[in-house]
Amino acid sequence: MTPPSQPRRPSSPTSIQLHFADLPDPRVQRTRAHLLLDIVTIAILAVIAGAKGWDDMETYAKLQEPWLREFLELPGGAPSDDTFRRVFVRLNAKAFGACFTAWMKTLAGSTEGKVIAIDGKTLRGSFDRAAGRTPIHMVHAWATENHVLLGQCATSEKSNEITAIPELLDLLDLKGAVVTIDAMGCQKKIVAKIVQKEADYAIALKGNQEKLHEEVAGYLDAAIADGGARTFETRDEAHGRTEIRRVYAVSNVDWLSTFDEWPGLRSLVCVERERTEKGKKPSIERVHYITSIPAHHVRRLARIIRSHWGVENALHWSLDVSFREDASRIRSENGPENFALLRRIALVLMKRETSVRGGAPTKQFRAAVDPTYAMRVLLAGIPAESQTGR
């Protein structure tokens, strides 16, 4: 039996071994001094411990080699920074992402009733002026309730979200979920794809659908003034600021000039935010939405729409602040996209590991100095039902 004071070897394969077993190795056979799964596992552990680049991964591998040998083969010893670089620069990013998506599906469980926020983030340091490459823009599908990144898709520019979102939706099982997207995703083909996947939607509406936006805003303004909309209101006060959020919903939608072109459309929604700060005049902002959810569920609609922005705090903010993603200068070939995925794997695993209180920086430091805790984070990627008896 392993002594309690020592990091415990998994009694079952880690999720990396389970879900990345079929990942194509980009190296020729004769140059493989290290196993691909060993490299991937060490890379994830290193990023969990705060690694920002290939040199950090080599340092981690060498310092932790005696412990890593307890559950990895390491036939060539600790991989060097050049090994990590060569593998992840050449590793097929779509195949790596597909393995990740299959893994996250086992962690997320059923999507019934869950809010899936689709939102994008630019890897600002990934541009390569010499190669004429613009920064990579990642489009994410984030399960807001259990903080699981269900999948992601890379595009060359933010404007390409319109084509990337359907591709991302095709990767996901969305039956019974509610998909939320900002105004960039308010496209008829995207709405049709969501309905095809047997999911509901709540999508922001702005000037990119100018005629529809004008019709919806005008109708909702009149309905609100006349008291003809279902209403739900919340009030938050903190640090001398008060915010009142009023959500209005109407179910009369078949009068819209393009009603037949928006599958599943059942309600129009207006979210009004009134902010007041001491000594300043109140500011009022209105954002409009189209949704497949009935208007009488206005309280639920308020929760769904507000939860969408959790992707900014729980995912994007953490990637920038805790992992310093925008400061990364990894630019070659598939390196930026693959390293971005390593960060996201690390973040999801740390959010699932709840025995230590605190945010990502606290958990990163703990993982860096305590291999027992690092293993605990790694094993957080095994679904609960698979951990019985571990």
Side-chain angles (χ1 to χ4, degrees), residues 6-300:
Q6 296 298 317
R8 180 163 48 187
R9 179 198 301 264
S11 60
S12 60
T14 68
S15 283
I16 298 166
Q17 294 167 311
L18 289 171
H19 294 288
F20 292 88
D22 296 327
L23 183 64
D25 196 322
R27 302 167 296 171
V28 296
Q29 185 68 45
R30 60 182 173 79
T31 65
R32 299 179 187 179
H34 307 277
L35 300 178
L36 180 61
L37 290 183
D38 283 359
I39 293 170
V40 172
T41 302
I42 297 170
I44 292 172
L45 282 165
V47 175
I48 288 171
K52 302 296 189 292
W54 317 122
D55 291 344
D56 292 345
M57 288 181 178
E58 178 185 346
T59 300
Y60 181 87
K62 287 183 175 178
L63 290 176
Q64 299 289 2
E65 183 176 353
W67 169 62
L68 292 170
R69 285 189 177 279
E70 295 188 14
F71 55 95
L72 299 179
E73 295 188 38
L74 299 184
S80 68
D81 61 331
D82 284 337
T83 297
F84 285 113
R85 181 184 296 106
R86 283 195 298 267
V87 168
F88 285 105
V89 161
R90 297 170 56 198
L91 187 67
N92 185 292
K94 284 189 178 295
F96 194 28
C99 293
F100 169 77
T101 299
W103 180 12
M104 292 300 105
K105 184 177 179 180
T106 68
L107 297 184
S110 171
T111 57
E112 186 73 35
K114 293 179 180 176
V115 178
I116 310 300
I118 307 290
D119 201 23
K121 181 184 184 300
T122 300
L123 307 182
R124 300 190 184 282
S126 63
F127 73 94
D128 189 339
R129 188 175 289 110
R133 186 168 73 176
T134 59
I136 295 172
H137 188 74
M138 307 297 297
V139 182
H140 304 119
W142 181 254
T144 64
E145 180 181 339
N146 50 8
H147 289 188
V148 172
L149 180 61
L150 298 179
Q152 63 178 26
C153 186
T155 73
S156 58
E157 297 179 16
K158 179 175 174 57
S159 60
N160 289 345
E161 279 191 22
I162 294 172
T163 55
I165 291 173
E167 182 180 342
L168 177 57
L169 294 173
D170 278 334
L171 300 175
L172 307 175
D173 178 5
L174 297 171
K175 186 174 182 179
V178 182
V179 177
T180 61
I181 316 177
D182 64 16
M184 180 72 76
C186 190
Q187 305 290 329
K188 295 164 187 173
K189 290 183 178 179
I190 291 175
V191 168
K193 176 72 69 174
I194 294 170
V195 172
Q196 179 187 337
K197 302 285 285 187
E198 300 183 63
D200 282 305
Y201 60 84
I203 303 179
L205 182 61
K206 289 186 179 178
N208 61 325
Q209 293 288 345
E210 186 174 0
K211 184 177 181 180
L212 178 62
H213 188 211
E214 288 178 356
E215 290 180 344
V216 170
Y219 185 84
L220 279 166
D221 285 349
I224 293 168
D226 295 341
R230 294 178 181 270
T231 308
F232 178 71
E233 180 178 306
T234 59
R235 182 186 186 94
D236 296 312
E237 296 185 23
H239 309 294
R241 185 181 70 179
T242 300
E243 180 178 277
I244 301 173
R245 293 171 58 91
R246 302 180 184 96
V247 180
Y248 304 96
V250 297
S251 57
N252 186 13
V253 295
D254 57 2
W255 57 271
L256 288 166
S257 60
T258 57
F259 169 70
D260 292 335
E261 300 175 23
W262 298 94
L265 179 59
R266 299 183 71 178
S267 305
L268 309 176
V269 178
C270 173
V271 176
E272 180 181 86
R273 301 180 184 90
E274 180 180 342
R275 295 184 179 91
T276 305
E277 292 187 49
K278 189 175 182 179
K280 297 182 180 180
K281 292 183 178 180
S283 64
I284 297 178
E285 175 191 22
R286 284 183 173 180
V287 181
H288 302 92
Y289 297 81
I290 59 173
T291 179
S292 59
I293 297 172
H296 64 267
H297 291 301
V298 63
R299 180 188 292 263
R300 182 184 175 213

Side-chain angles (χ1 to χ4, degrees), residues 322-341:
S322 302
F323 292 85
R324 298 183 62 200
E325 182 163 84
D326 279 352
S328 175
R329 293 296 178 264
I330 295 173
R331 297 171 178 169
S332 300
E333 300 180 48
N334 295 333
E337 188 175 341
N338 286 330
F339 206 105
L341 185 56

